[in-house]
């Protein structure tokens, strides 16, 4: 779960030049107040305060919030998860505003975190926060989880509502977190809106697709969601250090391709994955699918080439292992899931209500900032594009008027006509100097006229003194006198 796997994924995406077909956006970290839309106040406050140095001062809280074993305290913990949550929330907000059709945050997908508890390497549940953002504009949201582990934190958050349907395909039986039984279908108003498909070891591509596609198609038909959140944990791949499934890269990516074809606003998130060379391969490949690019299976040169030895290819093959999921077992579970879907109310309605006003999470009031402090990174990013970002115009030594040095890149700008840009480029130092001389002459002429105008009266009007006024005011006053 270390950020290094995200760095490797980003490097592959850049090496394949996929950035040219998308907008790259740096989101602001989620604030404590935003996190408490789901998590409890005391939990977020503790997460913000605790560090490896002072952790011994909080023995009671460490036990209460499960900061033990697989959820240790580490340096930069709060900053890392606030950035992950902020990115998922910003992706959801962009979908709400119609600025994007698909948003990707590979650092998100932390589906185990609970309201008051860390769990399974997950401290802040960015998925729940993103879904809450989507619900501001969308009546129904579908959550799909193809991680090898059950998405228990997300299911628990929406277990009693019909506005979110959760669907998880996962290993079940003496496996973390131990939840996700077929009979876990939701409660109260959310009954039958929690879909769980328990699987056994060694499931392969053919078996997985034989249940994934009919179930998702059935959900789309009965539930008719307005938006989709897809968690793409890669620990369901063959050869994962923790997972026990046997999916190839093609089998895993086929799920992404199938969901994309429904053409709904979609938020794509990361998740688990512990063989990092396979994580970066698959997420880069799925990025290509989402932007509609056919990718060469031979890896381009990148900063982490040694990790992909000895084959140096964009491929994760399935292994020759036993599939414990018999066709009869899969058919029985699938039929039960589809039967449960038929018991739901067809496309549940939502009572009409005012849509909350959108808040631009990335807007900072510069006038409210302390002028004696250094410019914060959020403001600096709005003015300067980092030198590490790569653009086609930069590599060719050409000026690029399609971007305005903000954090959103590769987006069209209609506020900068070509003629204006051309004039701005062709203006010379001599032109500027002559313009300054002309302005000085006009100002001197107006000042000489000022004493004469100060004593004038026009048809009984009050005399007006213009001495000491600006050249613009002088010109207006003289025109009025005339």
């Amino acid at each position: 779960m270390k950020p290094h796997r995200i760095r490797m994924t980003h490097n592959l995406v850049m090496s394949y030049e996929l950035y040219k077909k998308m907008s790259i956006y740096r989101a602001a970290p989620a604030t404590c107040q935003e996190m408490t839309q789901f998590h409890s106040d005391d939990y977020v406050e503790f997460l913000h305060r605790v560090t490896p140095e002072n952790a011994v001062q909080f023995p009671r809280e460490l036990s209460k919030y499960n900061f033990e074993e697989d959820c240790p305290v580490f340096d930069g913990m709060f900053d890392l998860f606030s950035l992950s949550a902020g990115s998922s929330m910003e992706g959801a907000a962009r979908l709400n505003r119609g600025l994007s059709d698909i948003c990707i945050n590979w650092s998100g997908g932390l589906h185990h975190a609970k309201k008051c508890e860390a769990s399974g390497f997950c401290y802040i549940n960015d998925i729940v926060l993103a879904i809450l953002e989507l619900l501001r504009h969308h009546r129904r949201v579908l959550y799909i989880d193809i991680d090898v582990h059950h998405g228990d934190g997300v299911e628990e958050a929406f277990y009693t509502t019909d506005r979110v349907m959760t669907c998880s395909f996962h290993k079940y039986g003496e496996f973390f977190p131990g939840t996700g039984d077929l009979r876990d279908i939701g409660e109260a108003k959310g009954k039958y809106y929690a879909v769980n498909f328990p699987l056994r070891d060694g499931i392969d591509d053919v078996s997985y697709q034989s249940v994934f596609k009919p179930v998702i198609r059935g959900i789309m038909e009965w539930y008719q969601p307005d938006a989709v959140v897809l968690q793409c944990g890669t620990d369901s791949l063959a050869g994962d250090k923790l997972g026990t499934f046997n999916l190839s890269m093609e089998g895993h990516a086929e799920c992404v391709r199938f969901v994309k074809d429904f053409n709904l606003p979609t938020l794509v998130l990361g998740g688990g994955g512990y063989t990092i060379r396979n994580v970066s391969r698959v997420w880069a490949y799925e990025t290509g699918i989402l932007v509609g690019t056919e990718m060469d299976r031979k890896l381009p040169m990148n900063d982490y080439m040694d990790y992909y030895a000895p084959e140096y290819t964009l491929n994760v093959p399935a292994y020759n292992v036993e599939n414990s999921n018999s066709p009869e077992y899969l058919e029985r579970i699938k039929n039960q899931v589809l039967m449960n879907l038929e018991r739901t109310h067809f496309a549940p309605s939502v009572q009409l209500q005012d849509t909350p006003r959108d808040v631009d999470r990335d807007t900072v009031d510069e006038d409210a900032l302390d002028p004696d402090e250094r410019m914060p990174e959020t403001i600096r990013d709005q003015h300067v594009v980092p030198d590490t970002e790569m653009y086609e115009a930069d590599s060719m030594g050409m000026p690029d008027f399609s971007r305005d040095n903000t954090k959103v890149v590769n987006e069209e700008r209609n506020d900068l006509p070509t003629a204006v840009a051309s004039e701005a480029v062709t203006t010379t130092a001599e032109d500027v100097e002559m313009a300054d001389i002309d302005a000085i002459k006009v100002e001197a002429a107006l000042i000489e006229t000022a004493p004469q105008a100060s004593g004038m009266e026009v048809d009984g009007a009050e005399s007006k003194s213009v001495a000491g006024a600006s050249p613009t005011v002088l010109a207006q006053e003289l025109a009025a006198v005339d």
Side-chain angles (χ1 to χ4, degrees):
M1 292 293 285
K2 291 183 178 180
H4 183 61
R5 63 194 189 130
I6 310 300
R7 191 179 300 113
M8 290 176 62
T9 302
H10 176 78
N11 196 261
L12 271 187
V13 168
M14 299 300 287
S15 298
Y16 272 106
E17 297 187 344
L18 299 177
Y19 66 91
K20 295 182 179 180
K21 297 190 176 182
M22 66 178 78
S23 297
I24 311 299
Y25 192 83
R26 177 181 290 179
T31 64
C32 291
Q33 182 179 4
E34 289 170 333
M35 294 179 189
T36 55
Q37 293 179 83
F38 170 60
H39 296 284
S40 64
D41 293 0
D42 55 345
Y43 174 73
V44 173
E45 181 183 358
F46 172 71
L47 188 68
H48 185 249
R49 286 190 301 159
V50 69
T51 65
E53 290 75 22
N54 66 14
V56 294
Q57 303 174 18
F58 305 101
R60 179 176 172 274
E61 288 82 357
L62 290 173
S63 177
K64 176 183 178 181
Y65 300 129
N66 195 35
F67 279 70
E68 299 172 342
E69 298 181 1
D70 58 357
C71 293
V73 178
F74 59 90
D75 277 330
M77 178 175 61
F78 183 82
D79 293 338
L80 174 63
F81 293 112
S82 63
L83 183 58
S84 170
S87 299
S88 294
M89 293 177 68
E90 188 60 48
R94 289 179 66 81
L95 294 176
N96 285 344
R97 298 194 293 265
L99 299 176
S100 303
D101 301 313
I102 299 172
C103 288
I104 308 170
N105 174 25
W106 292 128
S107 68
L110 307 180
H111 57 173
H112 293 309
K114 310 291 176 49
K115 182 181 180 67
C116 307
E117 181 181 313
S119 177
F121 310 145
C122 304
Y123 299 71
I124 292 294
N125 200 316
D126 65 290
I127 304 173
V128 173
L129 295 172
I131 291 176
L132 291 174
E133 183 69 27
L134 288 172
L135 290 174
R136 292 161 55 87
H137 285 252
H138 300 285
R139 296 167 298 176
R140 294 177 296 277
V141 176
L142 170 62
Y143 170 68
I144 304 172
D145 193 316
I146 59 174
D147 194 289
V148 73
H149 301 96
H150 177 234
D152 57 333
V154 183
E155 179 183 278
E156 182 179 300
F158 301 107
Y159 204 61
T160 59
T161 179
D162 59 0
R163 292 196 63 192
V164 179
M165 177 172 280
T166 59
C167 178
S168 179
F169 299 83
H170 53 271
K171 174 175 167 54
Y172 181 73
E174 296 185 1
F175 192 72
F176 182 86
T179 55
D181 189 273
L182 175 64
R183 293 166 291 185
D184 296 336
I185 56 176
E187 292 288 346
K189 194 175 181 180
K191 190 172 183 179
Y192 300 119
Y193 291 94
V195 178
N196 286 297
F197 206 113
L199 297 166
R200 299 170 179 169
D201 291 347
I203 190 166
D204 56 25
D205 295 350
V206 175
S207 298
Y208 200 92
Q209 296 304 321
S210 70
V211 296
F212 180 84
K213 291 184 177 180
V215 168
I216 298 303
R217 192 181 293 114
I219 291 175
M220 292 294 182
E221 177 183 352
W222 284 93
Y223 190 61
Q224 297 184 7
D226 298 322
V228 177
V229 177
L230 176 60
Q231 198 265 19
C232 299
T234 56
D235 45 12
S236 50
L237 289 169
D240 189 82
K241 293 179 180 179
L242 295 184
T244 60
F245 286 176
N246 193 29
L247 296 183
S248 69
M249 182 179 74
E250 288 290 351
H252 194 275
E254 181 61 28
C255 299
V256 177
R257 185 181 288 108
F258 185 74
V259 172
K260 178 195 174 188
D261 288 343
F262 286 99
N263 295 319
L264 292 171
T266 304
L267 177 63
V268 180
L269 305 174
Y274 309 100
T275 304
I276 59 176
R277 64 179 181 275
N278 292 342
V279 173
S280 55
R281 281 173 167 139
V282 172
W283 284 348
Y285 181 66
E286 290 172 349
T287 302
I289 289 175
L290 293 170
V291 300
T293 296
E294 187 68 29
M295 299 169 67
D296 189 350
R297 293 308 175 91
K298 183 179 180 181
L299 289 175
M301 287 301 301
N302 61 84
D303 295 342
Y304 304 99
M305 206 66 178
D306 291 343
Y307 281 82
Y308 307 109
E311 61 276 9
Y312 302 106
T313 60
L314 187 69
N315 187 38
V316 180
Y319 286 13
N320 184 20
V321 299
E322 179 185 0
N323 183 358
S324 301
N325 300 268
S326 66
E328 295 77 19
Y329 170 76
L330 295 176
E331 187 69 19
R332 177 170 61 84
I333 301 297
K334 182 184 71 174
N335 290 338
Q336 184 62 54
V337 168
L338 295 177
M339 187 181 302
N340 289 341
L341 288 176
E342 294 176 1
R343 294 173 180 171
T344 63
H345 297 294
F346 189 82
S349 60
V350 176
Q351 184 177 1
L352 292 177
Q353 56 188 351
D354 293 334
T355 301
R357 180 177 62 87
D358 282 328
V359 177
D360 189 352
R361 300 182 58 257
D362 199 43
T363 299
V364 180
D365 184 3
E366 296 187 41
D367 294 332
L369 298 176
D370 186 348
D372 295 330
E373 293 183 0
R374 293 187 61 186
M375 182 181 292
E377 184 179 7
T378 53
I379 295 295
R380 188 167 65 252
D381 285 342
Q382 292 176 2
H383 296 285
V384 180
V385 174
D387 294 335
T388 54
E389 300 289 355
M390 296 187 294
Y391 304 96
E392 188 172 16
D394 295 337
S395 63
M396 299 176 65
M398 300 166 53
D400 185 0
F401 299 110
S402 64
R403 55 190 171 96
D404 58 355
N405 286 344
T406 65
K407 289 182 290 186
V408 182
V409 301
N410 294 350
E411 292 187 349
E412 294 183 0
R413 288 194 62 201
N414 299 321
D415 60 337
L416 187 60
T418 304
V420 174
S422 176
E423 291 175 5
V425 173
T426 57
T427 301
T428 64
E430 183 178 355
D431 296 333
V432 175
E433 184 179 354
M434 293 302 298
D436 291 341
I437 294 174
D438 293 339
I440 292 172
K441 291 181 177 179
V442 171
E443 184 176 356
L446 290 173
I447 292 175
E448 290 178 0
T449 314
Q452 301 175 12
S454 61
M456 289 184 178
E457 293 184 5
V458 181
D459 296 333
E462 297 179 4
S463 62
K464 299 180 180 181
S465 175
V466 292
S470 67
T472 303
V473 174
L474 287 170
Q476 293 174 348
E477 297 289 352
L478 290 175
V481 171
D482 292 341

